[in-house]
Amino acid sequence: MKTTNLPLAGIKVLEMGTLIAGPFSTRILAEFGAEVIKVELPNSGDPLRKWRVLHNGTSLWWYVQSRNKKCITVDVRTEEGLEVIKNLLKECDVLVENFRPGTIAKWGLTPEVLQELNPNLIVSHISGFGQTGPYADRAGFGSVGEAMGGLRYLTGYPDRPPVRVGVSIGDSVASLYSVIGILMALYHRDVRNGGGQEIDVALYEAIFSLMESLVPEYDKKGVIRERTGSTFPGIVPTNVYQTKDGKYIVLAANGDKIFQRLLKVMGRDDLVGDERFLTNDGRVKHQELIESMIEEWVGQHNLKECLDLLNENAIPAGTIYNAEDIVNDPHYQARDM
């Protein structure tokens, strides 16, 4: 597909950010046709260039994060560099930055200056705690946002310390909200004849927004949700089970009709229609019994046998992929992922 046919073709974005949240936001915009100009400081550049696995001296992650972008080197802290950025902003539709609040203003890019340069400019700020509030000035990485947003408290097993998800999910979720905000602001500007806007994304709020009924459960019932390992609290059954050949399968039969089909697949026709298992609230009361039945059945079959039987009966199940599994999977290949 030609880039001129992509939905964001003609939109010009200036990225003044480092590492993950800002650059991931602009990466998505670039993938859909926006012209993204990434600004890096002289000498060092984006610190992500040296993170994780390097290829020819540069991080493979940086290549992923920076694809489809144009990179320039400018020291905006100098008078000459600031003029370069100001001239670029006059032509841009969007500015994305993920520094600590007030940083770009100290460089000379205050809201008033940005408004004067380009009244139609959309500015997306991404920070740990947002542009306002008592924590606004604090340094905040995705890991802190994940912790204060509630995710880390729920991740892991109840008898062990909280753990992290294996990717920078706090930054990535904040990036997605940045993109959503930018798209809404573009719509407001271009379709409803509105002007430019400022978007304020906080990492901890992005994570908190994912926390389902965490707060209502505490507010109305005094329930504090705790770590539950690989199970999904209050939803039965959905868990990870070990197969006969020592591999693992994720099985989610928490739909009422789905669980009835699973009972038949497991050869437990005697329990089909049992009132204890007809609805989720009933199954939750008998979680240990259900888990033991599934563990026993899965343990009698190898991974392929389990997957074939479950897929044939429309029961959601899958194996746990590593990078090699993903690369070799025919479905990934068929969809050009």
Side-chain angles (χ1 to χ4, degrees):
M1 181 182 292
K2 295 181 180 179
T3 55
T4 52
N5 294 329
L6 294 173
L8 295 181
I11 298 297
K12 192 169 185 177
V13 180
L14 190 69
E15 175 200 307
M16 295 179 66
T18 61
L19 297 176
I20 307 169
F24 184 44
S25 174
T26 56
R27 166 193 150 186
I28 295 171
L29 298 174
E31 287 175 342
F32 286 89
E35 179 186 1
V36 175
I37 301 171
K38 177 179 176 64
V39 180
E40 295 185 86
L41 287 173
N43 302 319
S44 59
D46 189 335
L48 191 67
R49 286 178 176 271
K50 296 297 180 182
W51 277 26
R52 292 192 56 79
V53 180
L54 307 185
H55 176 69
N56 294 332
T58 301
S59 166
L60 289 167
W61 189 358
W62 185 88
Y63 286 119
V64 170
Q65 199 81 308
S66 303
R67 61 190 176 205
N68 300 313
K69 300 178 185 179
K70 299 174 180 178
C71 297
I72 62 173
T73 302
V74 178
D75 191 344
V76 71
R77 299 166 300 185
T78 67
E79 185 175 339
E80 182 184 13
L82 181 60
E83 281 304 309
V84 170
I85 297 301
K86 284 182 176 180
N87 287 328
L88 281 170
L89 287 172
K90 291 176 183 178
E91 306 171 357
C92 284
D93 299 280
V94 180
L95 166 63
V96 177
E97 66 93 10
N98 67 323
F99 298 107
R100 200 182 304 187
T103 299
I104 65 170
K106 290 177 184 176
W107 296 341
L109 298 174
T110 63
E112 295 76 19
V113 168
L114 293 173
Q115 171 70 17
E116 184 179 348
L117 286 171
N118 186 345
N120 290 315
L121 183 68
I122 294 162
V123 182
S124 180
H125 305 284
I126 310 174
S127 62
F129 301 98
Q131 303 297 302
T132 60
Y135 301 162
D137 291 336
R138 291 184 181 181
F141 270 18
S143 54
V144 179
E146 293 161 23
M148 293 187 64
L151 180 63
R152 293 273 181 118
Y153 188 82
L154 299 181
T155 309
Y157 286 84
D159 58 340
R160 302 176 195 177
V163 297
R164 69 169 298 151
V165 177
V167 294
S168 304
I169 193 166
D171 292 282
S172 299
V173 173
S175 299
L176 296 177
Y177 276 113
S178 170
V179 172
I180 293 168
I182 289 166
L183 296 179
M184 288 192 288
L186 285 170
Y187 180 87
H188 174 76
R189 187 193 71 178
D190 297 342
V191 177
R192 299 196 169 183
N193 299 316
Q197 294 192 57
E198 283 193 87
I199 299 160
D200 181 1
V201 179
L203 272 69
Y204 85 97
E205 289 174 345
I207 288 297
F208 172 69
S209 73
L210 306 181
M211 291 295 102
E212 300 172 346
S213 54
L214 184 83
V215 167
E217 288 171 6
Y218 173 71
D219 182 43
K220 295 296 183 183
K221 299 292 184 178
V223 174
I224 296 178
R225 191 160 159 179
E226 302 288 347
R227 293 184 291 284
T228 56
S230 60
T231 63
F232 195 32
I235 312 295
V236 178
T238 176
N239 206 343
V240 177
Y241 306 92
Q242 190 169 21
T243 60
K244 185 179 180 180
D245 50 350
K247 299 179 180 179
Y248 291 93
I249 187 170
V250 174
L251 195 160
N254 43 280
D256 296 340
K257 292 182 180 179
I258 295 173
F259 185 70
Q260 296 299 304
R261 294 199 296 271
L262 177 62
L263 288 171
K264 293 180 181 180
V265 170
M266 295 192 301
R268 296 307 305 265
D269 294 76
D270 57 311
L271 297 178
V272 173
D274 190 313
E275 290 188 1
R276 295 175 295 173
F277 310 128
L278 289 177
T279 60
N280 182 70
D281 56 339
R283 291 191 296 274
V284 168
K285 297 175 184 177
H286 303 282
Q287 184 169 1
E288 288 189 17
L289 172 61
I290 292 171
E291 294 288 354
S292 63
M293 284 193 300
I294 299 174
E295 285 176 5
E296 181 181 2
W297 179 78
V298 170
Q300 296 171 354
H301 302 81
N302 63 36
L303 178 63
K304 186 178 184 308
E305 290 170 343
C306 280
L307 286 173
D308 288 346
L309 284 167
L310 295 168
N311 287 328
E312 287 167 7
N313 289 275
I315 299 167
T319 187
I320 297 175
Y321 279 11
N322 61 24
E324 184 178 16
D325 298 321
I326 289 171
V327 169
N328 293 321
D329 184 86
H331 192 76
Y332 269 89
Q333 294 170 6
R335 291 177 56 82
D336 292 327
M337 187 61 190

